[in-house]
Amino acid sequence: MSVLTPQHAGYDAEQVTATVERRRELLDRALRAIRERTFFSAFPESPSPRVYGDNAADAGRQAFETLLHRRFELGQPATAAWVATERSPWGPDLGVAYPVPDVDALLAAQTAAVPAWRAAGPVARAALCVEMLVRINAASFELANAVMHTSGQAFVMAFQAGGPHAQDRALEAVAYAYEEQARYPAEAVWEKPQGKRAPIRMAKTFTVVPRGIDLVIGCNTFPTWNSYPGLFAGLATGNAVLVKPHPRAVLPLAITVRIVREVLAEHGFDPNLVCLAAEPRQDQGGGRLAAELALRPEVGIVDYTGSTSFGDWLEANARQARVFTEKAGVNPVLLDSTDDYRGMLSNLAFSLVLYSGQMCTTPQNLFVPREGIDTDAGHVSVEQLGKDLGTAVDGVLGEDAKAAELLGAVVNDDVLARLEAAPGLGSVVVPSRPVQAPAYPDARIRTPTVVGVEAGDEQVYGSECFGPVAFLVTTDSTAQSVQLVRRTVGGRGAITASVYSTDPAVLDAVRDAALDVGVALSENLTEGVYVNQSAAFSDFHATGANAAANASLTDGHFVAGRFTVVQSRRHLPAEPPASPSAGA
């Protein structure tokens, strides 16, 4: 922590010290977890009243409803206009209006807030970030409703993925950020021996200096989970953060920014260190703010999740900034053989069903050899595999009320258009159907479809078809399946890959392919863990080693480029010779 006085530092040092003492234990637990990578979760994922309290769910829903059809006041400066952009995929219009910034004035205010935050030092910043996350966790039910009604996730998933899971990822990022900064001492005395002469002595200081403003560009499907790692890594390393939400998913990040600003203000920091930048949707005349902000010289970091085209543009054009992107990919499943056919089908079906495949980790391409696969239920042909997978999907979904809780709602028109066009891409193996949610008659809910194609149809399955669409790709052999995994992931990227095989040689071949193309691999998943799930503090999300993402959530690389270390040095007088000891 800085030794500056409160008056000079621009913050309440006494309050900051108290927070450091209060949150140091949780920070230390997180630091231990990133080194061990065993199970750790700081924030309980169950929305049970036993965990969060008997009234937490009702209070969170009421807090959410109170926000609707009014302005979301944040108290930040430089607001040029207000805009309402969100309609729930479940049906209702949210009607929340958010501040559209005067960019020049807002960036100037954020830049002015950085020096005090930089002076506070790594320990103080990390502890305050932990405090922010604890308070965000207390608002998990409010956030769950906001995530549900902007992303289309069903409530339980919105609570878990949008709440505790996102908070755990954020805490993981804070731990990595602190550990990277802690590598460097704040001060050192340097002595160089000079033989018979007195040594040269210098006092040196080493200060972590942030890169500037971290522009966090949010996505529609996972507004908190995908934004929190960059937001908190940027903040913990001393940067100001400007949150630019997706126009259809502003509310979860607005709630987050509100809480973060409250914590900053309570500790004497300028809350404008973290601001929100909303804009109209494209059909309202917007859609250009992220590109404008990304090229500003004040922006030193960009965190982005979304389409490949804009991610590529950011990497090519935001040259003044460190750009971290997660883009599109073609997640493969290689089917060779299994000793648990029913478990394999159930696991695959759930992975395809969950949130209607609207996850960057959902399997897309299921590669199966033409002669079929050997299983504990006997040899299974490609045709039979398709039928059995459809039965498994129906078994996972059940009646409409249950199905809606797993599928969620289709997030936007583009996803629905891809689903409707999918039957024309091959032969329909598993058809899609509409589902009616009892509580939300206007929600657009669809079951996933699986389309059969041949290995030669790479123009169909070789690029991402985001949403509830998967391809059953018939290959000439398992060896060709491995080749196609290499080629598609190597060319287009992937976040996840999985394999089902009882043959050690096949497993070795797929492991080698996964290492060569830099994709995380899951082997023979048949029970309660699914390929499209990842656990904070243990699983790395993406690798940064293929075209789907240029960074991993989270590791040392994800945080190290967010700051530099600037030194200052001065001569010290030579130490006087030691006086003779008594009695000499």
Side-chain angles (χ1 to χ4, degrees), residues 8-206:
H8 288 97
Y11 59 84
D12 185 337
E14 183 176 345
Q15 180 82 346
V16 170
T17 299
T19 298
V20 170
E21 293 173 353
R22 186 171 64 254
R23 298 305 179 196
R24 187 62 195 249
E25 181 182 358
L26 182 51
L27 177 60
D28 287 343
R29 288 171 61 200
L31 288 165
R32 193 160 60 246
I34 64 172
R35 294 163 189 155
E36 296 173 350
R37 304 212 73 80
T38 54
F39 175 79
F40 172 69
S41 177
F43 304 108
E45 69 177 359
S46 171
S48 166
R50 292 192 302 274
V51 178
Y52 285 92
D54 292 337
N55 299 319
D58 286 341
R61 176 181 51 78
Q62 291 170 12
F64 163 74
E65 291 175 351
T66 300
L67 299 174
L68 303 181
H69 305 292
R70 61 193 306 175
R71 285 185 175 182
F72 196 105
E73 298 282 357
L74 285 166
Q76 64 186 42
T79 296
W82 293 82
V83 64
T85 56
E86 297 156 308
R87 182 178 181 84
S88 170
W90 296 95
D93 184 13
L94 302 190
V96 185
Y98 304 100
V100 178
D102 175 323
V103 170
D104 290 337
L106 187 63
L107 294 183
Q110 290 208 276
T111 300
V114 169
W117 186 241
R118 178 184 66 212
V123 175
R125 290 195 295 265
L128 264 69
C129 285
V130 174
E131 176 70 20
M132 294 166 189
L133 289 169
V134 170
R135 297 199 198 181
I136 288 169
N137 177 251
S140 289
F141 283 94
E142 180 183 6
L143 280 163
N145 283 278
V147 171
M148 174 181 176
H149 285 290
T150 53
S151 72
Q153 295 173 33
F155 180 80
V156 172
M157 183 178 183
F159 180 89
Q160 292 180 336
H165 292 175
Q167 295 150 18
D168 274 344
R169 278 294 184 196
L171 181 60
E172 183 181 16
V174 171
Y176 271 107
Y178 174 71
E179 185 165 72
E180 286 297 321
Q181 294 170 92
R183 294 180 185 276
Y184 309 100
E187 298 177 344
V189 173
W190 181 84
E191 284 194 8
K192 182 178 180 181
Q194 297 292 301
K196 294 181 179 180
R197 293 177 295 166
I200 299 174
R201 302 179 68 241
M202 300 194 79
K204 301 187 180 185
T205 61
F206 304 95

Side-chain angles (χ1 to χ4, degrees), residues 476-502:
D476 293 336
S477 64
T478 291
Q480 187 185 33
S481 296
V482 175
Q483 292 173 358
L484 289 173
V485 168
R486 283 181 175 275
R487 186 158 72 238
T488 55
V489 177
R492 294 286 186 167
I495 305 293
T496 64
S498 57
V499 57
Y500 289 90
S501 182
T502 59

Side-chain angles (χ1 to χ4, degrees), residues 439-463:
Y440 296 100
D442 295 330
R444 298 182 301 186
I445 306 175
R446 303 289 188 274
T447 66
T449 188
V450 180
V451 177
V453 296
E454 292 290 322
D457 298 325
E458 200 166 334
Q459 76 282 1
V460 173
Y461 66 83
S463 57

Side-chain angles (χ1 to χ4, degrees), residues 98-351:
Y98 304 100
V100 178
D102 175 323
V103 170
D104 290 337
L106 187 63
L107 294 183
Q110 290 208 276
T111 300
V114 169
W117 186 241
R118 178 184 66 212
V123 175
R125 290 195 295 265
L128 264 69
C129 285
V130 174
E131 176 70 20
M132 294 166 189
L133 289 169
V134 170
R135 297 199 198 181
I136 288 169
N137 177 251
S140 289
F141 283 94
E142 180 183 6
L143 280 163
N145 283 278
V147 171
M148 174 181 176
H149 285 290
T150 53
S151 72
Q153 295 173 33
F155 180 80
V156 172
M157 183 178 183
F159 180 89
Q160 292 180 336
H165 292 175
Q167 295 150 18
D168 274 344
R169 278 294 184 196
L171 181 60
E172 183 181 16
V174 171
Y176 271 107
Y178 174 71
E179 185 165 72
E180 286 297 321
Q181 294 170 92
R183 294 180 185 276
Y184 309 100
E187 298 177 344
V189 173
W190 181 84
E191 284 194 8
K192 182 178 180 181
Q194 297 292 301
K196 294 181 179 180
R197 293 177 295 166
I200 299 174
R201 302 179 68 241
M202 300 194 79
K204 301 187 180 185
T205 61
F206 304 95
T207 303
V208 170
V209 176
R211 291 187 59 88
I213 294 174
D214 187 341
L215 174 64
V216 177
I217 303 172
C219 66
N220 196 172
T221 48
F222 287 89
T224 57
W225 198 96
N226 278 107
S227 296
Y228 277 15
L231 193 166
F232 282 93
L235 200 55
T237 49
N239 299 277
V241 178
L242 181 57
V243 178
K244 162 59 184 75
H246 190 286
R248 298 182 187 277
V250 186
L251 187 54
L253 291 174
I255 293 169
T256 301
V257 169
R258 180 195 70 201
I259 295 170
V260 169
R261 288 173 62 86
E262 288 170 355
V263 173
L264 289 168
E266 287 173 16
H267 290 79
F269 292 99
D270 186 342
N272 295 323
L273 192 72
V274 178
C275 291
L276 186 82
E279 70 168 330
R281 299 189 308 266
Q282 283 188 323
D283 62 350
Q284 296 172 320
R288 295 178 294 275
L289 182 58
E292 177 188 349
L293 291 170
L295 301 184
R296 293 288 301 224
E298 302 95 331
V299 170
I301 306 161
V302 176
D303 285 287
Y304 168 75
T305 300
S307 70
T308 296
S309 59
F310 190 56
D312 289 346
W313 183 89
L314 287 169
E315 291 171 2
N317 291 280
R319 304 301 295 273
Q320 86 292 349
R322 292 291 178 94
V323 178
F324 299 93
T325 60
E326 182 186 318
K327 300 174 287 187
V330 285
N331 301 324
V333 180
L334 189 145
L335 302 167
D336 171 74
S337 53
T338 181
D339 56 9
D340 185 358
Y341 185 57
R342 179 176 294 181
M344 180 191 81
L345 289 172
S346 177
N347 195 281
L348 280 174
F350 187 86
S351 296

